[in-house]
Amino acid sequence: VQLQASGGGLVQPGGSLRLSCAASGRIFTVNSMGWYRQAPGKERERVATITKGGTTNYADSVRGRFTISRDNAKNTGYLQMSSLKPEDTAVYSCNYRVRSFSWSRSEDAYWGQGTQVTVSS
């Protein structure tokens, strides 16, 4: 299973960006999808997660500004980021928990390669 993240870039404070993360390979279903970020010199933090059924959870620092969503038919997740702040600058990575076979309920976690988001004037 491979995850391909895209959509990062340079944006001014107050601007918006939309990240995407497409999964491919041996996939029966993608259970949870999550976005994480890591700024220089800081630990990685969970930004947002979404279950297969659409239940979302956000870090306090992004709630109300970021929206996580998914397209189950495309095995793709999205992170819409609005009202961006300089402190949102980080490498953003996606993490999916994937069930690969219909006959097994076990799941494995996979990471995308990360995409840089820089918020600066």
Side-chain angles (χ1 to χ4, degrees):
V1 175
Q2 297 82 39
L3 304 187
Q4 182 67 48
S6 61
L10 173 65
V11 63
Q12 293 186 341
S16 299
L17 280 175
R18 189 193 194 206
L19 306 183
S20 299
C21 182
S24 61
R26 186 179 293 277
I27 299 171
F28 173 67
T29 188
V30 180
N31 290 333
S32 65
M33 293 180 174
W35 287 95
Y36 294 74
R37 67 185 182 186
Q38 187 167 21
K42 295 187 177 181
E43 294 187 353
R44 183 168 59 196
E45 66 170 331
R46 179 180 55 83
V47 175
T49 59
I50 184 169
T51 67
K52 184 178 180 181
T55 300
T56 58
N57 190 277
Y58 296 93
D60 289 342
S61 58
V62 307
R63 188 174 292 112
R65 300 187 297 120
F66 291 10
T67 302
I68 189 171
S69 61
R70 60 188 289 168
D71 184 333
N72 290 331
K74 297 181 179 180
N75 291 324
T76 299
Y78 307 94
L79 185 68
Q80 177 67 48
M81 305 184 293
S82 303
S83 302
L84 283 161
K85 305 175 181 180
E87 50 264 43
D88 294 318
T89 296
V91 175
Y92 285 71
S93 301
C94 50
N95 176 271
Y96 290 179
R97 299 194 68 83
V98 176
R99 182 179 164 189
S100 292
F101 304 100
S102 60
W103 45 264
S104 173
R105 298 185 67 85
S106 66
E107 59 181 28
D108 295 297
Y110 297 91
W111 286 93
Q113 83 282 12
T115 184
Q116 176 71 46
V117 172
T118 302
V119 185
S120 175
S121 56

